[in-house]
Amino acid sequence: MGTAEPLSQAGYAEAVKAPGRKRKNKGETNLAGYLFISPWLLGFFLLTLWPIAQSFYLSFTDYSLLEAPVWTGTSNYANIFSNDATFTKSLSVTFVFVLISVPLKLFFSLMVAIALSRNIRGMNLYRTAIYFPSLIGGSIAVAALWRNMFGLDGYVNQVLAWFGIQGVGWITNPDTSLGTLILLNTWQFGSTMVIFLAGLKQIPQELYESASVDGAGRFRKFVRITLPMLSPVMFFNLVLGVIGSFQTFTSAFIITKGGPINSTYVYALFLYDKAFKHYQMGYASALAWILLGIVAALTVLNFLASRYWVFYESDGGKAK
Amino acid sequence: MRKKRSSVLALTGLTLLLAATACSNSGGGNGNGNGNDGGSGNVAGANEGGETKAADPITLGMMWWGTDERHEATKNALALYAKQNAGVAFKPEFMAWDAYWQKLPTLAASKTIPDVLQMDAAYIQEYVARGQLEDLSDIDLSGIVDPNVVENLKIGGKLYGIPLSQNAQGIAFNKAELEQYGIALPQKNWTYDEYFQWARDARAKLPEGKYPIGDSTDWGGYNMYQTSMGKDPVMADGGKKFTLDKDLFMTYYKTYEEFRKAKIVPPAEKGAAFLENDPQADPMASGVVMTRGATTGSVSALEQLMPGKVGVVNMPTGPSGGGWAQSTIFLSVSANSKHKDEAKRFLRWFITDKEAGKTLGLTRGIPINPDIYKDLEPTLAEKDKLGKEIYDLSVEKALPFYSAAAGFSEWVDTYNKEMQAVTYGQQSIEDAYDKINKMGTELAAKAGS
């Protein structure tokens, strides 16, 4: 603050004296600034914004990659909503995935974060070990591991057999296949957990101390102090989790290929197949925009709901 | 990094220049057989424009799919060609089947398909229809490829792919275990009825956990049945004609339904976990199923997983025949290539040069050129002999190779998924038929309009 003051005063004085010159000066500074970020801007406009705009246009066309796109108006959208059973199926698979995996992941990562927030010798080692699965999450190796674990003759069934339980082919059984993917997703709680951990460290110890003085037990402290103080972090993780889960792709693509019988045919995989397997780029673009709409609507909903359960310390600790 | 690359490039250029001038000296002298065209071209170039012209080497892009064995052999063949033809360098790109067909459409859209590319019978029609491939009719193949074969491969009277090999579809069986359990080995030209009966008989002799044959959910298996019974293929006339014979469909899948109940085919849960050519998950190499489909080009991979145990037989037949035996793998030239003549010269060399033939071996199946195959025959390994055996067994009764028509890729997926729902007991055969038939009929109507 102290250093910025004289500068801005000088600038102000100058502006009063010679308004024309000031504008020019400001223009120059802006230009230099834009030049400095121009590599990023170019990348953003050419490689991000342009393709996004292009995909919006393509969503109103029939485009097979090999031939020029043909304008078809809203027929892609009409077809998706009126007579595409796979769309409905993949959307419902995705909703089930999001509804189960997001809360599960939040719960587990919070529990682990609490366990890891204590001061024990060698804690860094534990943290690293527990974060590790998130690093190798989408790899082929994990897919192979999952197949071996949850296959018909996999480790899981071998363990079950010790207790006399006849296992099923977890991955190849349509009733359980989505469950294995949810489990895999939950296992990769690393980044969520780290954010929770940071959030926990931010909670002032005085709150706990004074609560202890007042005779509050562990559970009460958790519900009354930890959870409310952590709610902004929880909210952040929830929003990111919902967005991420809607786009889940890798595990379904590598491990189950959407099967058996579409039981793990998540929305992103459906979209990918339409685009890069059946070369219906227009249709796939329309699907992508619908996904964007759904995710945006849910995020808005999340923000609206957050008024009732997220507490910001800066607002005096009150939910709006 | 960039600086380093450009200096490497300059160095490569210099090397090529030296190589070019060196070769043109000797090339003028011996001038025998292959590489003469390229060699003499360089002599002319060196004489007219001096060093600058010879320093302009042509780089041919080439892309193919396949196994590591094929990658190595092909790279060696390319090196051989570059050695024989100074001034030609290659930029090879190679990958597995899935990745290849994912990448090619994007290259086609951006008009950057490499000069030379490998093509498959399942896709060539689509790429020809979209004007991506160069007409190769002017390449002289007399004495190299049977004129009938060439004629059969023409699309609209023009040749768009040079056939590389003979391929055929058959059935591989676990000879060792069938003998162990006292089950009669399948015989050449068996009929579908005999095939089904063989499976029933084998069930009685096999221990629990082992199955005579695999289940059937993909359209190709049924299409073979329908055509062998004398009906039209499911898709004909570029997808404009769609035929799914309900009686045959019901008979075929009712049989498999009976087989699932009788444990003649593995349960759906087990079947879904199979992964061909995976040492542990291959249906046959894992010892679970006694038979599986195999082609001339692919059976060697299975043989390597279970050496000495594999026997082969042709596909079951019907009144009209059964299976197929023909070229399914080609080399094509991109319609956007800047070096079409050089690419065509290379294509011809690829199937005529004896050295190349030796280098490539059977990595793309039985070489189409009889002279080259004759040279290779005495040195064939056991795994390669099986491929030849499938071809020889299949030729007599072979029907054409039917590929999915352009625009039917989603129907192919749907077929598989609907039939999968049947194998899991979630849907009746009749319902599956209705859905598959409806979608196919609609697509055909769209293709015809």
Side-chain angles (χ1 to χ4, degrees):
Chain A
M1 202 68 182
T3 50
E5 204 88 316
L7 267 179
S8 66
Q9 262 175 3
Y12 177 74
E14 224 173 331
V16 171
K17 267 187 225 154
R21 205 178 139 219
K22 199 258 157 169
R23 207 175 294 142
K24 193 184 151 209
N25 245 350
K26 197 178 175 189
E28 262 172 27
T29 351
N30 282 351
L31 184 68
Y34 282 123
L35 276 178
F36 272 118
I37 60 166
S38 63
W40 183 85
L41 278 181
L42 270 180
F44 175 71
F45 282 115
L46 290 179
L47 300 177
T48 308
L49 208 58
W50 173 242
I52 288 176
Q54 189 79 352
S55 115
F56 189 66
Y57 160 70
L58 287 178
S59 74
F60 296 100
T61 65
D62 184 1
Y63 180 39
S64 69
L65 265 188
L66 295 174
E67 285 162 302
V70 181
W71 182 264
T72 56
T74 54
S75 82
N76 281 337
Y77 292 94
N79 276 332
I80 290 171
F81 287 121
S82 64
N83 57 32
D84 190 339
T86 320
F87 167 75
T88 327
K89 173 73 186 170
S90 69
L91 202 58
S92 74
V93 168
T94 311
F95 264 103
V96 171
F97 182 86
V98 173
L99 278 178
I100 301 178
S101 81
V102 172
L104 209 61
K105 195 169 176 173
L106 284 181
F107 177 76
F108 267 100
S109 47
L110 178 59
M111 291 301 124
V112 175
I114 289 172
L116 290 181
S117 66
R118 294 193 230 163
N119 290 316
I120 314 175
R121 259 167 64 101
M123 184 47 86
N124 282 336
L125 190 74
Y126 294 125
R127 284 182 192 162
T128 312
I130 284 174
Y131 186 79
F132 190 64
S134 308
L135 294 176
I136 51 170
S139 72
I140 306 287
V142 168
L145 171 74
W146 231 244
R147 274 179 180 280
N148 280 330
M149 275 177 63
F150 290 98
L152 203 52
D153 307 312
Y155 307 132
V156 171
N157 281 349
Q158 285 174 19
V159 172
L160 286 178
W162 295 344
F163 303 100
I165 302 167
Q166 168 74 45
V168 295
W170 301 97
I171 288 175
T172 53
N173 183 321
D175 298 329
T176 54
S177 54
L178 189 61
T180 62
L181 296 190
I182 290 175
L183 210 62
L184 175 62
N185 185 57
T186 311
W187 184 50
Q188 276 142 27
F189 52 66
S191 53
T192 320
M193 184 265 294
V194 165
I195 295 169
F196 271 132
L197 201 56
L200 285 170
K201 294 272 172 197
Q202 294 289 315
I203 303 175
Q205 284 300 312
E206 307 95 80
L207 294 178
Y208 292 108
E209 281 160 20
S210 60
S212 299
V213 171
D214 291 342
R218 272 175 106 179
F219 179 74
R220 206 178 166 82
K221 276 194 276 187
F222 177 73
V223 174
R224 292 296 180 142
I225 300 173
T226 312
L227 279 186
M229 290 302 286
L230 212 53
S231 61
V233 175
M234 183 102 70
F235 177 56
F236 175 79
N237 272 336
L238 174 72
V239 170
L240 282 196
V242 168
I243 294 175
S245 303
F246 260 101
Q247 298 173 354
T248 187
F249 172 77
T250 321
S251 53
F253 179 64
I254 298 177
I255 300 177
T256 59
K257 301 236 179 285
I261 351 170
N262 284 350
S263 60
T264 58
Y265 203 46
V266 292
Y267 196 88
L269 185 55
F270 174 45
L271 198 163
Y272 171 86
D273 275 355
K274 279 280 180 190
F276 296 104
K277 202 166 166 195
H278 310 313
Y279 311 135
Q280 300 174 16
M281 287 294 161
Y283 202 89
S285 295
L287 284 175
W289 280 89
I290 291 169
L291 178 64
L292 177 74
I294 293 171
V295 172
L298 280 174
T299 307
V300 168
L301 215 66
N302 255 331
F303 269 89
L304 290 178
S306 75
R307 294 171 183 219
Y308 301 102
W309 64 273
V310 177
F311 301 86
Y312 292 100
E313 213 181 349
S314 54
D315 293 339
K318 273 184 271 174
K320 276 173 206 164
Chain B
M1 186 69 201
R2 182 152 296 173
K3 220 169 197 176
K4 200 169 176 187
R5 192 171 288 170
S6 68
S7 65
V8 167
L9 217 92
L11 211 74
T12 320
L14 196 73
T15 321
L16 280 169
L17 183 140
L18 289 174
T21 39
C23 181
S24 65
N25 288 341
S26 66
N30 58 28
N32 57 349
N34 308 293
N36 196 17
D37 290 353
S40 55
N42 270 313
V43 174
N47 288 347
E48 284 165 28
E51 283 148 339
T52 42
K53 202 149 192 192
D56 262 0
I58 292 174
T59 301
L60 288 178
M62 179 173 175
M63 195 166 142
W64 70 90
W65 74 84
T67 57
D68 280 343
E69 202 188 349
R70 183 185 290 174
H71 298 333
E72 288 309 315
T74 311
K75 277 192 281 182
N76 290 339
L78 296 187
L80 189 67
Y81 187 81
K83 213 168 102 192
Q84 291 180 4
N85 299 268
V88 179
F90 287 95
K91 187 172 159 268
E93 272 182 274
F94 42 90
M95 56 205 86
W97 168 270
D98 282 352
Y100 189 87
W101 298 108
Q102 267 165 30
K103 184 161 186 179
L104 207 53
T106 53
L107 294 180
S110 58
K111 298 198 165 51
T112 50
I113 291 185
D115 303 283
V116 178
L117 70 156
Q118 198 169 302
M119 254 292 143
D120 190 86
Y123 288 96
I124 193 166
Q125 304 239 1
E126 194 160 342
Y127 281 84
V128 169
R130 269 130 201 205
Q132 297 287 337
L133 303 183
E134 178 70 8
D135 177 11
L136 305 175
S137 311
D138 58 343
I139 298 182
D140 181 17
L141 294 175
S142 55
I144 305 169
V145 184
D146 187 334
N148 284 329
V149 172
V150 174
E151 214 42 53
N152 278 335
L153 291 174
K154 286 192 172 167
I155 300 169
K158 290 175 179 171
L159 187 69
Y160 292 95
I162 300 294
L164 300 180
S165 59
Q166 291 165 332
N167 200 3
Q169 163 89 51
I171 290 182
F173 55 84
N174 191 329
K175 199 168 57 185
E177 287 205 28
L178 289 179
E179 279 167 355
Q180 181 192 333
Y181 295 110
I183 299 163
L185 299 184
Q187 293 301 311
K188 188 192 170 192
N189 292 346
W190 54 350
T191 63
Y192 272 97
D193 286 340
E194 285 164 353
Y195 170 65
F196 291 142
Q197 194 52 47
W198 179 87
R200 289 186 190 101
D201 296 344
R203 167 71 282 165
K205 292 182 176 170
L206 282 171
E208 199 171 329
K210 291 193 185 283
Y211 306 87
I213 62 173
D215 212 329
S216 173
T217 56
D218 79 317
W219 81 278
Y222 170 70
N223 187 58
M224 283 194 193
Y225 180 73
Q226 184 170 304
T227 49
S228 78
M229 296 299 159
K231 300 281 178 180
D232 282 333
V234 175
M235 287 162 269
D237 197 12
K240 288 178 197 139
K241 194 161 172 242
F242 179 84
T243 316
L244 200 64
D245 188 284
K246 190 165 183 182
D247 289 339
L248 285 178
F249 187 92
M250 295 305 289
T251 315
Y252 184 76
Y253 287 110
K254 284 269 183 218
T255 309
Y256 278 96
E257 191 170 53
E258 170 211 324
F259 282 6
R260 270 188 295 279
K261 282 183 193 136
K263 294 190 175 171
I264 293 170
V265 298
E269 259 182 43
K270 209 161 197 156
F274 287 142
L275 196 63
E276 286 197 352
N277 298 332
D278 179 293
Q280 275 137 40
D282 183 278
M284 207 170 122
S286 61
V288 175
V289 185
M290 292 300 114
T291 56
R292 80 157 164 88
T295 60
T296 297
S298 73
V299 73
S300 65
L302 180 64
E303 220 280 333
Q304 281 173 317
L305 290 179
M306 38 195 310
K309 291 185 179 168
V310 180
V312 291
V313 62
N314 60 334
M315 287 300 292
T317 59
S320 297
W324 50 265
Q326 66 187 69
S327 291
T328 57
I329 171 166
F330 314 103
L331 279 188
S332 295
V333 173
S334 162
N336 294 309
S337 167
K338 290 196 180 78
H339 309 293
K340 285 173 188 155
D341 291 337
E342 190 54 55
K344 286 180 188 174
R345 206 174 299 143
F346 166 72
L347 253 51
R348 188 169 188 277
W349 175 88
F350 201 79
I351 55 169
T352 41
D353 189 89
K354 294 251 156 122
E355 278 301 306
K358 247 180 241 164
T359 311
L360 292 165
L362 267 76
T363 55
R364 282 182 177 80
I366 301 164
I368 194 87
N369 184 346
D371 290 345
I372 292 203
Y373 180 69
K374 221 183 286 161
D375 281 359
L376 290 172
E377 205 168 11
T379 60
L380 285 189
E382 198 52 44
K383 63 185 170 76
D384 296 325
K385 283 189 192 142
L386 279 176
K388 174 72 175 158
E389 200 181 336
I390 292 183
Y391 183 81
D392 290 343
L393 287 167
S394 304
V395 152
E396 183 192 336
K397 295 267 183 183
L399 292 168
F401 172 84
Y402 298 106
S403 59
F408 273 75
S409 75
E410 200 173 9
W411 176 87
V412 168
D413 267 12
T414 304
Y415 191 107
N416 214 343
K417 279 173 182 170
E418 296 300 342
M419 292 323 297
Q420 223 182 26
V422 172
T423 63
Y424 276 94
Q426 294 193 348
Q427 172 165 259
S428 72
I429 302 173
E430 198 135 20
D431 286 349
Y433 174 86
D434 289 342
K435 286 184 208 166
I436 295 167
N437 190 46
K438 179 167 174 272
M439 186 175 179
T441 313
E442 282 170 9
L443 281 171
K446 216 171 122 191
S449 65

